[in-house]
Amino acid sequence: MAKSPRTSIPAPIIISILMTVVPLFATSALTAWAVSEESLVSGWNTQTWLMVTTLLTLTSAVALTPPTFLALVYGYFMGLIAIPYLIALNLCAIGLVYLFALFFDAGTTMPYLIKAFPKVEGLLTRFRANQLRLIFFAKLSPILPFAVTNLFFAIAGARLTQVILGGTLGMIPRTILAVWIGSEAQDIQYLLDHPQEGLASKLITIVLLIISSLGISFFLREKKIAEN
């Protein structure tokens, strides 16, 4: 009796799953460390923050440290002055994920997706014609994983300039919001356990989520219209 052929799962798909799960463990470990070493971190100077930001850029690129989580921590310790650090961190991490995807030839995953989900091909056509808009709305969302969306953009064939520009415009509002929430917190343990405690922060988060969802939905609706 002949054995049925094995179905191999493309590496980029496995990596994207890990990029969603691993940050949950990493943030738990970082939370425990930040709480226990609060006095140490409070004494860091500019040079130390620059070195730490460089390291965290690499960990963010490989999905160990979600930038929104880092923005809360940076806001708590540095206040609004943390914003330039985080913008640089986001931009460099976006670029690194894109380059990693090119290096590992992540685009080879697309034929598997198209074969499994034929409608993906039409969606990709719309995406390539409107890259900046979808990237912006995806990055504006407070719930879409940072590294996974970056990996998807690279797999889908987005241009690096579009990823950088759309990613920058989309992540600035959520970064500023997270930094502000962190700067207003009185206790880091409570902040990281309840990042959306305040009414204002909840409302802004909901607004960002609605705008992001409507923008992406409009993109999908245009696709359907174009096919009719």
Side-chain angles (χ1 to χ4, degrees), residues 68-133:
T68 301
F69 167 82
L70 295 179
L72 292 170
V73 177
Y74 271 59
Y76 179 82
F77 287 108
M78 301 180 68
L80 297 181
I81 198 175
I83 293 174
Y85 289 80
L86 292 161
I87 290 177
L89 184 152
N90 275 269
L91 287 176
C92 293
I94 288 172
L96 284 174
V97 173
Y98 189 92
L99 294 176
F100 288 159
L102 292 181
F103 180 79
F104 290 106
D105 201 14
T108 56
T109 301
M110 198 49 63
Y112 291 91
L113 295 177
I114 293 175
K115 184 177 180 180
F117 307 98
K119 291 185 178 181
V120 167
E121 189 168 9
L123 177 61
L124 287 174
T125 300
R126 293 294 302 166
F127 169 73
R128 288 164 184 157
N130 302 272
Q131 296 177 27
L132 183 62
R133 183 175 63 186

Side-chain angles (χ1 to χ4, degrees), residues 51-75:
M51 291 190 296
V52 169
T53 301
T54 300
L55 174 62
L56 292 176
T57 297
L58 296 174
T59 59
S60 295
V62 296
L64 288 176
T65 51
T68 301
F69 167 82
L70 295 179
L72 292 170
V73 177
Y74 271 59

Side-chain angles (χ1 to χ4, degrees), residues 133-144 170 174 204-220:
R133 183 175 63 186
L134 182 58
I135 292 170
F136 166 76
F137 285 118
K139 284 300 178 185
L140 189 66
S141 172
I143 62 173
L144 292 180
R174 53 191 281 192
I204 297 174
T205 299
I206 291 172
V207 169
L208 292 179
L209 182 58
I210 291 174
I211 294 174
S212 172
S213 300
L214 289 177
I216 295 174
S217 298
F218 183 72
F219 168 82
L220 296 175

Side-chain angles (χ1 to χ4, degrees), residues 142-156:
I143 62 173
L144 292 180
F146 175 83
V148 173
T149 53
N150 293 331
L151 180 61
F152 170 79
F153 297 147
I155 292 175

